Amino acid sequence: MLWATWLQAIGTILAFVAVAIQIRRESADRKRIQQRMDQADLREQSSQIFAWAAILSEDDARQLGLAGMDTQGIFVVNASQLPIYDVVLSLVLIRGAGPHTGEQLVALGPEVADRDRVVRSVLPPGRWFVSFPNSSWGARSSMPGGEIAFNDSAETSWVRRVSGSLEQLSQNPLDALSVNRPFPEARLENLDPNRIQ
Protein backbone atom coordinates (compact mmCIF):
# COMPACT_ATOMS: atom_id res chain seq x y z
CA MET A 1 0.00 0.00 0.00
CA LEU A 2 2.86 2.34 0.77
CA TRP A 3 4.30 1.53 -2.66
CA ALA A 4 1.07 2.47 -4.33
CA THR A 5 1.06 5.88 -2.63
CA TRP A 6 4.68 6.50 -3.66
CA LEU A 7 3.99 5.49 -7.25
CA GLN A 8 0.95 7.72 -7.36
CA ALA A 9 2.97 10.69 -6.01
CA ILE A 10 5.79 10.10 -8.51
CA GLY A 11 3.26 9.85 -11.34
CA THR A 12 1.68 13.14 -10.29
CA ILE A 13 5.08 14.88 -10.15
CA LEU A 14 6.03 13.52 -13.59
CA ALA A 15 2.71 14.73 -15.00
CA PHE A 16 3.37 18.24 -13.63
CA VAL A 17 6.88 18.23 -15.12
CA ALA A 18 5.53 17.12 -18.53
CA VAL A 19 2.89 19.87 -18.47
CA ALA A 20 5.48 22.50 -17.48
CA ILE A 21 7.77 21.41 -20.35
CA GLN A 22 4.87 21.57 -22.82
CA ILE A 23 3.82 25.04 -21.60
CA ARG A 24 7.40 26.28 -21.95
CA ARG A 25 7.67 24.93 -25.52
CA GLU A 26 4.35 26.48 -26.54
CA SER A 27 5.34 29.80 -25.00
CA ALA A 28 8.65 29.81 -26.93
CA ASP A 29 6.78 28.92 -30.15
CA ARG A 30 4.29 31.75 -29.57
CA LYS A 31 7.14 34.18 -28.92
CA ARG A 32 8.90 33.18 -32.19
CA ILE A 33 5.66 33.59 -34.15
CA GLN A 34 5.03 37.02 -32.58
CA GLN A 35 8.59 38.14 -33.40
CA ARG A 36 8.09 37.14 -37.06
CA MET A 37 4.79 39.01 -37.16
CA ASP A 38 6.36 42.09 -35.54
CA GLN A 39 9.22 42.03 -38.09
CA ALA A 40 6.71 41.76 -40.96
CA ASP A 41 4.72 44.70 -39.52
CA LEU A 42 7.94 46.70 -39.13
CA ARG A 43 8.80 46.16 -42.82
CA GLU A 44 5.28 46.62 -44.16
CA GLN A 45 5.68 50.19 -45.47
CA SER A 46 9.41 50.06 -46.21
CA SER A 47 9.03 46.96 -48.37
CA GLN A 48 6.85 49.04 -50.73
CA ILE A 49 9.54 51.64 -51.53
CA PHE A 50 11.72 51.21 -54.64
CA ALA A 51 14.21 53.22 -56.70
CA TRP A 52 16.19 52.59 -59.87
CA ALA A 53 18.32 54.64 -62.24
CA ALA A 54 17.59 55.13 -65.94
CA ILE A 55 18.59 57.12 -68.97
CA LEU A 56 15.44 57.81 -70.96
CA SER A 57 15.23 58.14 -74.71
CA GLU A 58 13.46 61.26 -75.99
CA ASP A 59 10.42 59.13 -76.93
CA ASP A 60 10.24 57.56 -73.46
CA ALA A 61 10.60 60.97 -71.81
CA ARG A 62 7.77 62.36 -73.97
CA GLN A 63 5.48 59.40 -73.13
CA LEU A 64 6.10 59.94 -69.42
CA GLY A 65 5.46 63.67 -69.68
CA LEU A 66 9.12 64.49 -69.08
CA ALA A 67 9.87 66.10 -72.45
CA GLY A 68 12.44 68.86 -72.21
CA MET A 69 13.93 67.55 -68.96
CA ASP A 70 17.29 65.98 -68.41
CA THR A 71 16.57 62.32 -69.00
CA GLN A 72 19.09 60.68 -66.70
CA GLY A 73 17.82 60.14 -63.21
CA ILE A 74 16.09 57.92 -60.71
CA PHE A 75 12.57 56.52 -60.78
CA VAL A 76 11.06 56.27 -57.30
CA VAL A 77 7.96 54.32 -56.30
CA ASN A 78 6.24 54.72 -52.96
CA ALA A 79 3.57 52.03 -53.31
CA SER A 80 2.44 52.41 -49.71
CA GLN A 81 -0.50 54.57 -48.69
CA LEU A 82 1.65 56.84 -46.50
CA PRO A 83 4.44 59.33 -47.18
CA ILE A 84 8.07 58.67 -46.31
CA TYR A 85 10.39 61.26 -44.79
CA ASP A 86 14.03 62.45 -44.84
CA VAL A 87 14.53 60.86 -48.25
CA VAL A 88 18.05 60.65 -49.70
CA LEU A 89 18.32 59.42 -53.30
CA SER A 90 21.85 58.47 -54.32
CA LEU A 91 23.01 57.72 -57.82
CA VAL A 92 25.49 54.87 -57.27
CA LEU A 93 26.80 51.98 -59.35
CA ILE A 94 25.53 48.43 -59.64
CA ARG A 95 28.81 47.52 -61.34
CA GLY A 96 31.90 49.38 -62.44
CA ALA A 97 34.55 51.44 -60.72
CA GLY A 98 32.99 53.91 -58.33
CA PRO A 99 30.67 54.11 -55.32
CA HIS A 100 28.23 51.22 -54.83
CA THR A 101 26.48 52.65 -51.75
CA GLY A 102 25.45 56.05 -50.48
CA GLU A 103 28.11 55.78 -47.77
CA GLN A 104 30.81 55.20 -50.41
CA LEU A 105 29.48 58.19 -52.37
CA VAL A 106 29.81 60.41 -49.28
CA ALA A 107 33.38 59.17 -48.74
CA LEU A 108 34.34 60.66 -52.14
CA GLY A 109 33.71 64.13 -50.73
CA PRO A 110 30.94 66.72 -50.64
CA GLU A 111 31.36 67.86 -54.26
CA VAL A 112 30.71 64.36 -55.62
CA ALA A 113 28.01 63.58 -53.05
CA ASP A 114 26.14 66.82 -53.79
CA ARG A 115 26.27 66.12 -57.53
CA ASP A 116 25.09 62.49 -57.34
CA ARG A 117 22.43 62.63 -54.64
CA VAL A 118 19.28 64.60 -53.89
CA VAL A 119 17.21 65.07 -50.77
CA ARG A 120 13.50 65.47 -50.05
CA SER A 121 11.83 66.14 -46.70
CA VAL A 122 8.71 64.23 -47.76
CA LEU A 123 7.92 61.81 -50.58
CA PRO A 124 4.18 61.15 -50.99
CA PRO A 125 2.76 57.87 -52.27
CA GLY A 126 3.04 57.48 -56.03
CA ARG A 127 5.52 57.17 -58.88
CA TRP A 128 8.16 59.88 -59.33
CA PHE A 129 11.15 60.79 -61.46
CA VAL A 130 14.12 62.83 -60.22
CA SER A 131 16.63 64.04 -62.80
CA PHE A 132 20.37 64.25 -62.20
CA PRO A 133 21.55 66.77 -64.81
CA ASN A 134 25.12 67.07 -63.52
CA SER A 135 25.87 63.41 -62.85
CA SER A 136 28.98 61.80 -64.28
CA TRP A 137 27.97 58.14 -64.18
CA GLY A 138 27.52 57.66 -67.92
CA ALA A 139 30.71 55.63 -68.50
CA ARG A 140 30.16 52.64 -70.77
CA SER A 141 31.80 50.18 -68.37
CA SER A 142 29.59 51.18 -65.45
CA MET A 143 25.97 50.40 -64.67
CA PRO A 144 24.21 53.05 -62.57
CA GLY A 145 21.63 52.30 -59.95
CA GLY A 146 19.42 54.19 -57.56
CA GLU A 147 19.65 53.86 -53.79
CA ILE A 148 16.99 55.31 -51.50
CA ALA A 149 17.38 55.94 -47.78
CA PHE A 150 14.35 57.15 -45.81
CA ASN A 151 12.30 57.17 -42.62
CA ASP A 152 8.99 55.35 -42.78
CA SER A 153 5.86 56.76 -41.15
CA ALA A 154 6.77 54.99 -37.90
CA GLU A 155 10.12 56.87 -37.89
CA THR A 156 12.17 53.74 -38.58
CA SER A 157 15.15 54.41 -40.86
CA TRP A 158 15.78 52.25 -43.93
CA VAL A 159 17.92 52.02 -47.04
CA ARG A 160 17.07 50.07 -50.19
CA ARG A 161 20.38 49.25 -51.85
CA VAL A 162 20.96 48.99 -55.60
CA SER A 163 20.92 45.21 -55.15
CA GLY A 164 17.31 45.48 -53.99
CA SER A 165 18.07 44.51 -50.40
CA LEU A 166 16.30 46.44 -47.66
CA GLU A 167 18.36 47.29 -44.57
CA GLN A 168 17.35 48.98 -41.36
CA LEU A 169 19.60 51.93 -40.47
CA SER A 170 20.68 52.70 -36.93
CA GLN A 171 20.24 56.45 -37.45
CA ASN A 172 18.29 58.96 -39.49
CA PRO A 173 19.25 58.79 -43.21
CA LEU A 174 20.25 62.48 -43.22
CA ASP A 175 22.78 61.75 -40.48
CA ALA A 176 23.88 58.38 -41.87
CA LEU A 177 24.67 59.99 -45.23
CA SER A 178 26.11 63.26 -43.86
CA VAL A 179 23.49 65.57 -45.38
CA ASN A 180 24.05 69.19 -44.39
CA ARG A 181 21.00 71.11 -43.18
CA PRO A 182 19.27 73.10 -44.49
CA PHE A 183 19.27 71.36 -47.86
CA PRO A 184 17.63 72.25 -51.16
CA GLU A 185 14.54 70.16 -51.89
CA ALA A 186 14.91 68.03 -55.00
CA ARG A 187 12.32 68.58 -57.70
CA LEU A 188 10.06 65.59 -58.26
CA GLU A 189 8.26 64.90 -61.50
CA ASN A 190 4.93 63.23 -60.77
CA LEU A 191 4.34 60.20 -63.01
CA ASP A 192 0.84 59.72 -61.57
CA PRO A 193 -1.10 62.75 -62.84
CA ASN A 194 -4.11 61.94 -60.63
CA ARG A 195 -2.07 62.15 -57.43
CA ILE A 196 -1.24 65.31 -55.55
CA GLN A 197 2.42 66.31 -55.50
mmCIF file of all heavy atoms in Angstrom, residues 51-88:
data_model
loop_
_atom_site.group_PDB
_atom_site.id
_atom_site.type_symbol
_atom_site.label_atom_id
_atom_site.label_comp_id
_atom_site.label_asym_id
_atom_site.label_seq_id
_atom_site.Cartn_x
_atom_site.Cartn_y
_atom_site.Cartn_z
ATOM 1 N N ALA A 51 13.558 52.196 -55.882
ATOM 2 C CA ALA A 51 14.208 53.225 -56.698
ATOM 3 C C ALA A 51 15.149 52.535 -57.680
ATOM 4 O O ALA A 51 15.764 51.520 -57.356
ATOM 5 C CB ALA A 51 14.995 54.185 -55.810
ATOM 6 N N TRP A 52 15.231 53.096 -58.894
ATOM 7 C CA TRP A 52 16.189 52.586 -59.870
ATOM 8 C C TRP A 52 16.580 53.718 -60.816
ATOM 9 O O TRP A 52 15.816 54.630 -61.063
ATOM 10 C CB TRP A 52 15.644 51.378 -60.631
ATOM 11 C CG TRP A 52 14.469 51.651 -61.511
ATOM 12 C CD1 TRP A 52 14.496 51.924 -62.855
ATOM 13 C CD2 TRP A 52 13.088 51.685 -61.133
ATOM 14 N NE1 TRP A 52 13.212 52.122 -63.318
ATOM 15 C CE2 TRP A 52 12.333 51.979 -62.276
ATOM 16 C CE3 TRP A 52 12.410 51.491 -59.916
ATOM 17 C CZ2 TRP A 52 10.944 52.099 -62.254
ATOM 18 C CZ3 TRP A 52 11.029 51.610 -59.904
ATOM 19 C CH2 TRP A 52 10.324 51.903 -61.059
ATOM 20 N N ALA A 53 17.791 53.617 -61.339
ATOM 21 C CA ALA A 53 18.320 54.640 -62.240
ATOM 22 C C ALA A 53 17.988 54.298 -63.678
ATOM 23 O O ALA A 53 17.837 53.130 -64.038
ATOM 24 C CB ALA A 53 19.830 54.752 -62.063
ATOM 25 N N ALA A 54 17.882 55.336 -64.518
ATOM 26 C CA ALA A 54 17.592 55.135 -65.938
ATOM 27 C C ALA A 54 18.066 56.338 -66.739
ATOM 28 O O ALA A 54 18.137 57.456 -66.229
ATOM 29 C CB ALA A 54 16.096 54.942 -66.146
ATOM 30 N N ILE A 55 18.379 56.063 -67.987
ATOM 31 C CA ILE A 55 18.593 57.120 -68.966
ATOM 32 C C ILE A 55 17.479 56.930 -69.989
ATOM 33 O O ILE A 55 17.382 55.886 -70.631
ATOM 34 C CB ILE A 55 19.967 57.016 -69.641
ATOM 35 C CG1 ILE A 55 21.076 57.169 -68.601
ATOM 36 C CG2 ILE A 55 20.096 58.081 -70.726
ATOM 37 C CD1 ILE A 55 22.468 56.986 -69.155
ATOM 38 N N LEU A 56 16.605 57.921 -70.092
ATOM 39 C CA LEU A 56 15.436 57.814 -70.963
ATOM 40 C C LEU A 56 15.741 58.309 -72.364
ATOM 41 O O LEU A 56 16.443 59.303 -72.542
ATOM 42 C CB LEU A 56 14.292 58.646 -70.390
ATOM 43 C CG LEU A 56 13.821 58.302 -68.983
ATOM 44 C CD1 LEU A 56 12.795 59.324 -68.527
ATOM 45 C CD2 LEU A 56 13.251 56.909 -68.931
ATOM 46 N N SER A 57 15.169 57.625 -73.346
ATOM 47 C CA SER A 57 15.230 58.144 -74.712
ATOM 48 C C SER A 57 14.267 59.331 -74.791
ATOM 49 O O SER A 57 13.408 59.512 -73.914
ATOM 50 C CB SER A 57 14.811 57.058 -75.704
ATOM 51 O OG SER A 57 13.420 56.788 -75.565
ATOM 52 N N GLU A 58 14.375 60.126 -75.837
ATOM 53 C CA GLU A 58 13.457 61.259 -75.992
ATOM 54 C C GLU A 58 12.011 60.794 -76.096
ATOM 55 O O GLU A 58 11.111 61.434 -75.553
ATOM 56 C CB GLU A 58 13.853 62.085 -77.225
ATOM 57 C CG GLU A 58 15.106 62.900 -77.011
ATOM 58 C CD GLU A 58 15.434 63.763 -78.226
ATOM 59 O OE1 GLU A 58 14.502 64.144 -78.970
ATOM 60 O OE2 GLU A 58 16.623 64.050 -78.414
ATOM 61 N N ASP A 59 11.786 59.664 -76.800
ATOM 62 C CA ASP A 59 10.420 59.134 -76.931
ATOM 63 C C ASP A 59 9.866 58.709 -75.575
ATOM 64 O O ASP A 59 8.711 59.003 -75.247
ATOM 65 C CB ASP A 59 10.386 57.938 -77.897
ATOM 66 C CG ASP A 59 10.568 58.364 -79.343
ATOM 67 O OD1 ASP A 59 10.352 59.568 -79.639
ATOM 68 O OD2 ASP A 59 10.920 57.501 -80.172
ATOM 69 N N ASP A 60 10.689 57.984 -74.798
ATOM 70 C CA ASP A 60 10.238 57.558 -73.462
ATOM 71 C C ASP A 60 9.939 58.763 -72.584
ATOM 72 O O ASP A 60 8.941 58.788 -71.863
ATOM 73 C CB ASP A 60 11.289 56.668 -72.789
ATOM 74 C CG ASP A 60 11.408 55.299 -73.431
ATOM 75 O OD1 ASP A 60 10.454 54.877 -74.121
ATOM 76 O OD2 ASP A 60 12.448 54.647 -73.229
ATOM 77 N N ALA A 61 10.805 59.759 -72.619
ATOM 78 C CA ALA A 61 10.601 60.967 -71.814
ATOM 79 C C ALA A 61 9.290 61.649 -72.208
ATOM 80 O O ALA A 61 8.519 62.079 -71.348
ATOM 81 C CB ALA A 61 11.773 61.928 -71.986
ATOM 82 N N ARG A 62 9.015 61.726 -73.498
ATOM 83 C CA ARG A 62 7.771 62.357 -73.971
ATOM 84 C C ARG A 62 6.554 61.564 -73.482
ATOM 85 O O ARG A 62 5.586 62.145 -73.015
ATOM 86 C CB ARG A 62 7.784 62.458 -75.499
ATOM 87 C CG ARG A 62 6.797 63.463 -76.047
ATOM 88 C CD ARG A 62 6.833 63.727 -77.527
ATOM 89 N NE ARG A 62 7.681 63.402 -78.478
ATOM 90 C CZ ARG A 62 8.943 62.885 -78.737
ATOM 91 N NH1 ARG A 62 9.539 62.636 -78.237
ATOM 92 N NH2 ARG A 62 9.700 62.604 -79.598
ATOM 93 N N GLN A 63 6.605 60.237 -73.578
ATOM 94 C CA GLN A 63 5.483 59.404 -73.132
ATOM 95 C C GLN A 63 5.225 59.545 -71.637
ATOM 96 O O GLN A 63 4.090 59.445 -71.195
ATOM 97 C CB GLN A 63 5.729 57.933 -73.471
ATOM 98 C CG GLN A 63 5.594 57.625 -74.941
ATOM 99 C CD GLN A 63 5.890 56.154 -75.232
ATOM 100 O OE1 GLN A 63 6.404 55.432 -74.407
ATOM 101 N NE2 GLN A 63 5.549 55.744 -76.450
ATOM 102 N N LEU A 64 6.259 59.787 -70.879
ATOM 103 C CA LEU A 64 6.104 59.939 -69.425
ATOM 104 C C LEU A 64 5.808 61.375 -69.015
ATOM 105 O O LEU A 64 5.680 61.672 -67.835
ATOM 106 C CB LEU A 64 7.373 59.454 -68.710
ATOM 107 C CG LEU A 64 7.627 57.953 -68.768
ATOM 108 C CD1 LEU A 64 9.022 57.633 -68.240
ATOM 109 C CD2 LEU A 64 6.568 57.191 -67.978
ATOM 110 N N GLY A 65 5.718 62.262 -69.991
ATOM 111 C CA GLY A 65 5.462 63.666 -69.680
ATOM 112 C C GLY A 65 6.692 64.386 -69.180
ATOM 113 O O GLY A 65 6.585 65.377 -68.457
ATOM 114 N N LEU A 66 7.865 63.898 -69.537
ATOM 115 C CA LEU A 66 9.119 64.491 -69.077
ATOM 116 C C LEU A 66 9.882 65.172 -70.207
ATOM 117 O O LEU A 66 11.081 65.407 -70.098
ATOM 118 C CB LEU A 66 10.003 63.406 -68.437
ATOM 119 C CG LEU A 66 9.398 62.639 -67.259
ATOM 120 C CD1 LEU A 66 10.320 61.505 -66.840
ATOM 121 C CD2 LEU A 66 9.112 63.564 -66.100
ATOM 122 N N ALA A 67 9.205 65.476 -71.302
ATOM 123 C CA ALA A 67 9.866 66.104 -72.447
ATOM 124 C C ALA A 67 10.519 67.411 -72.025
ATOM 125 O O ALA A 67 9.963 68.177 -71.243
ATOM 126 C CB ALA A 67 8.853 66.339 -73.568
ATOM 127 N N GLY A 68 11.720 67.629 -72.520
ATOM 128 C CA GLY A 68 12.436 68.863 -72.208
ATOM 129 C C GLY A 68 13.253 68.782 -70.933
ATOM 130 O O GLY A 68 13.972 69.713 -70.606
ATOM 131 N N MET A 69 13.135 67.706 -70.185
ATOM 132 C CA MET A 69 13.926 67.548 -68.957
ATOM 133 C C MET A 69 15.195 66.779 -69.248
ATOM 134 O O MET A 69 15.289 66.093 -70.259
ATOM 135 C CB MET A 69 13.126 66.740 -67.920
ATOM 136 C CG MET A 69 12.065 67.491 -67.222
ATOM 137 S SD MET A 69 11.456 66.502 -65.848
ATOM 138 C CE MET A 69 12.933 66.244 -64.902
ATOM 139 N N ASP A 70 16.138 66.862 -68.322
ATOM 140 C CA ASP A 70 17.293 65.980 -68.412
ATOM 141 C C ASP A 70 16.781 64.565 -68.197
ATOM 142 O O ASP A 70 16.003 64.317 -67.282
ATOM 143 C CB ASP A 70 18.316 66.347 -67.333
ATOM 144 C CG ASP A 70 19.633 65.663 -67.574
ATOM 145 O OD1 ASP A 70 19.652 64.418 -67.530
ATOM 146 O OD2 ASP A 70 20.626 66.359 -67.835
ATOM 147 N N THR A 71 17.192 63.652 -69.019
ATOM 148 C CA THR A 71 16.574 62.325 -68.997
ATOM 149 C C THR A 71 17.406 61.264 -68.302
ATOM 150 O O THR A 71 17.140 60.081 -68.444
ATOM 151 C CB THR A 71 16.265 61.864 -70.441
ATOM 152 O OG1 THR A 71 17.473 61.903 -71.189
ATOM 153 C CG2 THR A 71 15.203 62.751 -71.071
ATOM 154 N N GLN A 72 18.422 61.661 -67.555
ATOM 155 C CA GLN A 72 19.086 60.679 -66.700
ATOM 156 C C GLN A 72 18.672 60.971 -65.270
ATOM 157 O O GLN A 72 18.637 62.110 -64.842
ATOM 158 C CB GLN A 72 20.603 60.700 -66.870
ATOM 159 C CG GLN A 72 21.295 61.955 -66.417
ATOM 160 C CD GLN A 72 22.799 61.864 -66.621
ATOM 161 O OE1 GLN A 72 23.311 60.886 -67.132
ATOM 162 N NE2 GLN A 72 23.499 62.890 -66.208
ATOM 163 N N GLY A 73 18.293 59.917 -64.563
ATOM 164 C CA GLY A 73 17.823 60.139 -63.208
ATOM 165 C C GLY A 73 17.380 58.868 -62.536
ATOM 166 O O GLY A 73 17.759 57.763 -62.927
ATOM 167 N N ILE A 74 16.564 59.043 -61.518
ATOM 168 C CA ILE A 74 16.090 57.916 -60.714
ATOM 169 C C ILE A 74 14.566 57.910 -60.701
ATOM 170 O O ILE A 74 13.936 58.942 -60.452
ATOM 171 C CB ILE A 74 16.621 58.011 -59.257
ATOM 172 C CG1 ILE A 74 18.147 57.874 -59.233
ATOM 173 C CG2 ILE A 74 15.987 56.948 -58.382
ATOM 174 C CD1 ILE A 74 18.755 57.956 -57.849
ATOM 175 N N PHE A 75 13.997 56.748 -60.988
ATOM 176 C CA PHE A 75 12.571 56.519 -60.782
ATOM 177 C C PHE A 75 12.389 56.090 -59.335
ATOM 178 O O PHE A 75 13.172 55.294 -58.817
ATOM 179 C CB PHE A 75 12.048 55.394 -61.687
ATOM 180 C CG PHE A 75 11.866 55.801 -63.106
ATOM 181 C CD1 PHE A 75 12.851 55.533 -64.045
ATOM 182 C CD2 PHE A 75 10.708 56.442 -63.514
ATOM 183 C CE1 PHE A 75 12.685 55.900 -65.365
ATOM 184 C CE2 PHE A 75 10.530 56.816 -64.832
ATOM 185 C CZ PHE A 75 11.523 56.542 -65.767
ATOM 186 N N VAL A 76 11.354 56.619 -58.683
ATOM 187 C CA VAL A 76 11.063 56.272 -57.296
ATOM 188 C C VAL A 76 9.597 55.872 -57.213
ATOM 189 O O VAL A 76 8.732 56.559 -57.761
ATOM 190 C CB VAL A 76 11.311 57.470 -56.342
ATOM 191 C CG1 VAL A 76 11.069 57.064 -54.900
ATOM 192 C CG2 VAL A 76 12.701 58.032 -56.528
ATOM 193 N N VAL A 77 9.339 54.771 -56.521
ATOM 194 C CA VAL A 77 7.964 54.320 -56.304
ATOM 195 C C VAL A 77 7.732 54.185 -54.807
ATOM 196 O O VAL A 77 8.468 53.477 -54.121
ATOM 197 C CB VAL A 77 7.678 52.972 -56.998
ATOM 198 C CG1 VAL A 77 6.283 52.482 -56.664
ATOM 199 C CG2 VAL A 77 7.855 53.092 -58.502
ATOM 200 N N ASN A 78 6.731 54.903 -54.322
ATOM 201 C CA ASN A 78 6.236 54.718 -52.963
ATOM 202 C C ASN A 78 4.856 54.084 -53.128
ATOM 203 O O ASN A 78 3.861 54.781 -53.321
ATOM 204 C CB ASN A 78 6.155 56.046 -52.212
ATOM 205 C CG ASN A 78 5.561 55.902 -50.820
ATOM 206 O OD1 ASN A 78 5.136 54.816 -50.424
ATOM 207 N ND2 ASN A 78 5.504 56.996 -50.084
ATOM 208 N N ALA A 79 4.808 52.760 -53.095
ATOM 209 C CA ALA A 79 3.566 52.026 -53.314
ATOM 210 C C ALA A 79 2.739 51.887 -52.045
ATOM 211 O O ALA A 79 1.669 51.293 -52.068
ATOM 212 C CB ALA A 79 3.868 50.643 -53.901
ATOM 213 N N SER A 80 3.216 52.452 -50.946
ATOM 214 C CA SER A 80 2.438 52.413 -49.707
ATOM 215 C C SER A 80 1.369 53.507 -49.763
ATOM 216 O O SER A 80 1.342 54.317 -50.684
ATOM 217 C CB SER A 80 3.347 52.611 -48.490
ATOM 218 O OG SER A 80 3.721 53.968 -48.351
ATOM 219 N N GLN A 81 0.544 53.553 -48.758
ATOM 220 C CA GLN A 81 -0.505 54.570 -48.690
ATOM 221 C C GLN A 81 -0.082 55.776 -47.859
ATOM 222 O O GLN A 81 -0.870 56.703 -47.670
ATOM 223 C CB GLN A 81 -1.787 53.963 -48.107
ATOM 224 C CG GLN A 81 -2.370 52.863 -48.970
ATOM 225 C CD GLN A 81 -2.739 53.359 -50.349
ATOM 226 O OE1 GLN A 81 -3.386 54.387 -50.501
ATOM 227 N NE2 GLN A 81 -2.296 52.645 -51.378
ATOM 228 N N LEU A 82 1.159 55.768 -47.375
ATOM 229 C CA LEU A 82 1.648 56.838 -46.501
ATOM 230 C C LEU A 82 2.920 57.455 -47.061
ATOM 231 O O LEU A 82 3.690 56.789 -47.767
ATOM 232 C CB LEU A 82 1.940 56.266 -45.106
ATOM 233 C CG LEU A 82 0.735 55.673 -44.374
ATOM 234 C CD1 LEU A 82 1.195 54.897 -43.153
ATOM 235 C CD2 LEU A 82 -0.226 56.776 -43.981
ATOM 236 N N PRO A 83 3.185 58.715 -46.735
ATOM 237 C CA PRO A 83 4.439 59.326 -47.184
ATOM 238 C C PRO A 83 5.638 58.759 -46.433
ATOM 239 O O PRO A 83 5.493 58.147 -45.370
ATOM 240 C CB PRO A 83 4.245 60.809 -46.856
ATOM 241 C CG PRO A 83 3.201 60.852 -45.814
ATOM 242 C CD PRO A 83 2.343 59.631 -45.989
ATOM 243 N N ILE A 84 6.824 58.966 -47.003
ATOM 244 C CA ILE A 84 8.069 58.669 -46.307
ATOM 245 C C ILE A 84 8.803 59.996 -46.119
ATOM 246 O O ILE A 84 8.498 60.981 -46.787
ATOM 247 C CB ILE A 84 8.930 57.635 -47.058
ATOM 248 C CG1 ILE A 84 9.233 58.084 -48.484
ATOM 249 C CG2 ILE A 84 8.253 56.269 -47.038
ATOM 250 C CD1 ILE A 84 10.176 57.161 -49.253
ATOM 251 N N TYR A 85 9.765 60.010 -45.210
ATOM 252 C CA TYR A 85 10.389 61.262 -44.793
ATOM 253 C C TYR A 85 11.913 61.175 -44.846
ATOM 254 O O TYR A 85 12.481 60.089 -44.850
ATOM 255 C CB TYR A 85 9.939 61.604 -43.361
ATOM 256 C CG TYR A 85 8.441 61.664 -43.234
ATOM 257 C CD1 TYR A 85 7.702 60.546 -42.866
ATOM 258 C CD2 TYR A 85 7.759 62.845 -43.529
ATOM 259 C CE1 TYR A 85 6.316 60.597 -42.777
ATOM 260 C CE2 TYR A 85 6.374 62.901 -43.439
ATOM 261 C CZ TYR A 85 5.660 61.777 -43.067
ATOM 262 O OH TYR A 85 4.298 61.825 -42.991
ATOM 263 N N ASP A 86 12.560 62.358 -44.844
ATOM 264 C CA ASP A 86 14.029 62.449 -44.844
ATOM 265 C C ASP A 86 14.620 61.530 -45.903
ATOM 266 O O ASP A 86 15.464 60.681 -45.634
ATOM 267 C CB ASP A 86 14.595 62.118 -43.455
ATOM 268 C CG ASP A 86 14.159 63.123 -42.415
ATOM 269 O OD1 ASP A 86 13.795 64.257 -42.791
ATOM 270 O OD2 ASP A 86 14.179 62.789 -41.215
ATOM 271 N N VAL A 87 14.171 61.727 -47.134
ATOM 272 C CA VAL A 87 14.527 60.855 -48.251
ATOM 273 C C VAL A 87 15.844 61.317 -48.877
ATOM 274 O O VAL A 87 15.995 62.490 -49.223
ATOM 275 C CB VAL A 87 13.408 60.864 -49.316
ATOM 276 C CG1 VAL A 87 13.766 59.975 -50.491
ATOM 277 C CG2 VAL A 87 12.084 60.444 -48.697
ATOM 278 N N VAL A 88 16.776 60.382 -49.027
ATOM 279 C CA VAL A 88 18.050 60.651 -49.702
ATOM 280 C C VAL A 88 18.151 59.674 -50.872
ATOM 281 O O VAL A 88 18.185 58.461 -50.680
ATOM 282 C CB VAL A 88 19.256 60.462 -48.757
ATOM 283 C CG1 VAL A 88 20.558 60.779 -49.495
ATOM 284 C CG2 VAL A 88 19.121 61.326 -47.513
#
